[in-house]
Amino acid sequence: MNQLDQQVARRLTRFYVLALTVIAILSISGLLFIRRMLSDHDDDSRVVNVAGRQRMLSQRLTKLAVLQTTGLTTTDTASFTALLTTWSQSQNQLRNGVLRMEKEYAVRKSRQLDTMFSQLEPVFQSMYQSLVRISDTRARPEEKKAALQTVLRAEPQFLEQMNAIVFRFDQESFERVRLLEQIEWVLTVATLLTLLIEGLLIFRPVVTHTKDVIRKLTESDEALRKANENLAVANTELENTNRQLVITQRELLWASEEKYRLQMVEETVRSAALLEGQEEERRRFARELHDGIGQMLTGLKLRAERLKVIPFPEPKHRQQFDELCDLIYDVIQTTRQTSHNLMPSVLSDFGLGAALQFLAEQTARASGIDVAFEGSTGEKRLSPAVEIGLYRIAQEALNNAVKHAEARKIRISWQNEDAKITLSVEDDGKGFQPKIGLKERQIPVIKGLENMRTRARLLNGEFTILSKPKKGTKVIVHVPDTNHA
């Protein structure tokens, strides 16, 4: 029964807290809304004061204009220019909807007020331009007198319309206060209705439900004890079943791990065979380009050069022949470049360091990007598989940096120390987020990264990409040196 009391108490507490929370939300919402309305009303009071001050300033400016034009003296020490500036700024701020004083006050206007300000604007501009002319020391007396007549004619109309604007501001502010009172009454009624609804729909059903629960729990106490005895027997059987299930799960897990290892070995063999086939096809295609098409193009160039000594009947024929020779030379250079990209001879002749340095220089000339190489070109030779694998990784990383990173500087470095080969390609390009970057990049880039990762895995190495947006990208490969003694 102790647990039953606690359950009933917890349930009643939850409903009670829920009811208090709803009431608190209504009360706080009402307070916040009323405070906001009071703050807006403070802005309205300041706006009414400033609008009323505009009438006083216009009368004072008119008086000073009369005194200044007629040359009479006055005890008013206010600056005519300062008053005119204040009057003009206040009028423009009232019209534009923001008063900038010790802080910004919002000028809330209805369409009627906007219309009244639009009607007042020509009168205001007429008075303002005339007052500016009166304050101008370079203006002639006749001009000042004419301006004064304009001011005297416009002032009554300005005062009349400004009075209407002030009264309209005051009326709209009063209407907002009336609205605030109505909203306050609505919130009060809503709070009282909430209390009534909670009493009828929450507390009363909770009491009834609690009685039913206590009765049902008392009746089911004996049945629960019998069920517990049966459950103890079932638990014993379940423990035996669980032990068998654990043994079966371990066997299944071992079989799954073995299957995964076999799949990984099969994937590695397939990838190695695919990459080896690609490299062999590149070697064959490079030889065919160099020994076949390259030789034929070279022969074509030699034959064309022999024809240079033959005179042509027209100069344009000579020009076309020269352009043909240049085109043959460009085709030869492109063929050589393609053959070198497929299988660089410098890699097989001088090793990885020299090949990387040549790759950096070649890329710098072709792209105009500052590509630097750091590392020794006279290191001992590595195994052919390691050299071609690392070269392809560097080639792919450099290609990605040139095409996609918008880099200004790229650095290729490699070193062979303590039986460990380290290759890195770093750029100062736009970078990407490694976790989501592969989804955002294009498919060729994804395949390029996967090819680099696969090549590093086939060399028993580690492949790492470090990148951040606008911080550049760095590709790092660590491969063990199998030739290290």
Side-chain angles (χ1 to χ4, degrees):
M1 291 300 292
N2 223 1
Q3 295 180 354
L4 181 61
D5 294 341
Q6 293 178 1
Q7 292 177 0
V8 173
R10 284 197 295 268
R11 184 157 189 174
L12 287 174
T13 301
R14 285 198 299 269
F15 282 107
Y16 185 68
V17 170
L18 176 62
L20 290 180
T21 301
V22 174
I23 295 173
I25 291 174
L26 287 173
S27 300
I28 294 174
S29 300
L31 289 175
L32 293 177
F33 184 77
I34 292 172
R35 185 171 181 178
R36 174 64 182 274
M37 293 294 292
L38 291 176
S39 177
D40 293 341
H41 184 65
D42 182 60
D43 288 358
D44 293 343
S45 299
R46 181 54 64 93
V47 169
V48 172
N49 290 336
V50 172
R53 189 185 64 178
Q54 287 297 96
R55 299 176 299 179
M56 180 273 293
L57 288 177
S58 66
Q59 293 174 334
R60 193 173 179 184
L61 285 169
T62 302
K63 181 191 73 173
L64 291 176
V66 172
L67 294 175
Q68 186 173 345
T69 303
T70 57
L72 298 177
T73 58
T74 179
T75 57
D76 194 341
T77 59
S79 171
F80 183 82
T81 304
L83 289 176
L84 181 59
T85 302
T86 302
W87 182 63
S88 175
Q89 290 178 350
S90 299
Q91 188 71 19
N92 291 330
Q93 291 174 2
L94 286 172
R95 186 180 65 254
N96 295 332
V98 178
L99 282 179
R100 294 180 176 86
M101 304 180 75
E102 67 275 3
K103 67 174 186 177
E104 288 191 353
Y105 295 93
V107 181
R108 295 184 294 174
K109 299 183 295 181
S110 61
R111 292 184 179 179
Q112 183 176 352
L113 277 172
D114 287 332
T115 303
M116 295 172 72
F117 270 105
S118 299
Q119 295 173 353
L120 180 62
E121 182 64 15
V123 179
F124 168 75
Q125 290 296 335
S126 174
M127 288 186 64
Y128 177 73
Q129 298 297 332
S130 298
L131 290 172
V132 169
R133 177 61 61 86
I134 292 173
S135 64
D136 189 359
T137 56
R138 296 172 298 178
R140 294 176 299 176
E142 295 79 7
E143 295 177 346
K144 291 185 177 183
K145 290 181 180 180
L148 178 61
Q149 292 300 321
T150 302
V151 170
L152 293 175
R153 285 194 302 269
E155 185 195 11
Q157 186 178 358
F158 178 82
L159 291 175
E160 180 182 357
Q161 294 183 1
M162 201 65 204
N163 281 334
I165 289 174
V166 172
F167 292 147
R168 184 61 188 176
F169 268 127
D170 188 63
Q171 181 182 354
E172 292 183 0
S173 176
F174 180 74
E175 291 174 354
R176 283 189 283 269
V177 172
R178 291 283 300 277
L179 177 62
L180 175 61
E181 293 176 353
Q182 295 173 2
I183 293 175
E184 185 178 5
W185 276 108
V186 169
L187 291 175
T188 303
V189 172
T191 304
L192 295 176
L193 288 176
T194 302
L195 290 173
L196 179 61
I197 292 171
E198 287 174 350
L200 295 176
L201 301 182
I202 296 179
F203 291 105
R204 187 174 180 180
V206 165
V207 172
T208 303
H209 179 71
T210 302
K211 291 180 181 179
D212 294 339
V213 169
I214 294 174
R215 178 178 54 80
K216 291 178 181 178
L217 286 177
T218 303
E219 293 174 353
S220 62
D221 185 46
E222 184 64 27
L224 181 61
R225 283 197 297 269
K226 293 180 180 180
N228 286 335
E229 294 175 359
N230 297 331
L231 183 61
V233 176
N235 285 338
T236 303
E237 297 176 355
L238 182 61
E239 288 178 359
N240 296 330
T241 304
N242 286 338
R243 282 195 293 269
Q244 295 295 328
L245 181 60
V246 169
I247 296 173
T248 304
Q249 287 177 342
R250 289 177 180 174
E251 294 176 354
L252 180 60
L253 180 60
W254 180 85
S256 299
E257 291 178 351
E258 185 66 21
K259 180 179 179 181
Y260 177 73
R261 284 194 292 270
L262 291 175
Q263 289 177 347
M264 290 299 297
V265 171
E266 182 181 355
E267 182 66 24
T268 301
V269 172
R270 186 184 298 110
S271 300
L274 179 61
L275 292 177
E276 181 62 27
Q278 290 178 352
E279 295 298 334
E280 183 61 31
E281 185 65 18
R282 286 177 175 175
R283 293 190 190 95
R284 185 188 66 80
F285 192 56
R287 286 196 301 269
E288 291 182 359
L289 282 178
H290 184 271
D291 300 337
I293 298 177
Q295 297 298 328
M296 288 188 290
L297 289 174
T298 302
L300 179 62
K301 178 186 177 184
L302 294 176
R303 289 173 180 262
E305 289 179 348
R306 292 176 184 174
L307 296 176
K308 289 184 177 181
V309 299
I310 299 176
F312 288 87
E314 295 183 12
K316 66 178 181 179
H317 293 166
R318 167 62 67 180
Q319 181 180 359
Q320 293 175 354
F321 177 76
D322 292 338
E323 293 176 354
L324 178 62
C325 292
D326 294 339
L327 179 60
I328 294 173
Y329 177 76
D330 292 339
V331 173
I332 293 174
Q333 292 299 112
T334 303
T335 304
R336 289 176 179 174
Q337 182 65 36
T338 304
S339 175
H340 179 271
N341 291 336
L342 290 172
M343 185 54 62
S345 59
V346 66
L347 179 63
S348 58
D349 295 340
F350 301 101
L352 181 61
L356 292 176
Q357 183 178 17
F358 184 75
L359 177 63
E361 296 172 354
Q362 187 181 43
T363 304
R365 288 194 301 269
S367 64
I369 301 174
D370 183 9
V371 184
F373 170 75
E374 296 180 2
S376 175
T377 58
E379 295 285 344
K380 64 179 182 178
R381 297 297 299 271
L382 306 173
S383 64
V386 173
E387 287 187 344
I388 190 62
L390 291 177
Y391 179 80
R392 293 303 183 195
I393 292 174
Q395 191 178 36
E396 186 65 38
L398 189 61
N399 180 62
N400 288 343
V402 171
K403 288 186 176 181
H404 306 287
E406 300 178 3
R408 294 175 296 179
K409 185 175 182 180
I410 306 173
R411 182 170 63 90
I412 306 174
S413 64
W414 87 289
Q415 55 183 350
N416 187 358
E417 297 179 356
D418 300 330
K420 190 173 185 180
I421 305 169
T422 302
L423 170 68
S424 67
V425 179
E426 183 177 4
D427 65 73
D428 61 351
K430 60 184 180 181
F432 61 95
Q433 288 288 353
K435 291 184 179 180
I436 62 175
L438 295 180
K439 295 181 181 180
E440 295 177 351
R441 295 297 183 87
Q442 298 176 353
I443 293 178
V445 181
I446 298 176
K447 290 183 178 179
L449 293 177
E450 290 302 323
N451 286 339
M452 289 189 286
R453 186 177 287 106
T454 300
R455 289 183 183 275
R457 186 177 70 249
L458 293 177
L459 298 177
N460 296 322
E462 299 176 0
F463 178 80
T464 307
I465 296 180
L466 303 177
S467 182
K468 290 183 178 180
K470 300 182 181 180
K471 298 293 184 181
T473 303
K474 186 175 183 180
V475 176
I476 306 173
V477 182
H478 298 290
V479 177
D481 186 4
T482 57
N483 293 337
H484 185 76

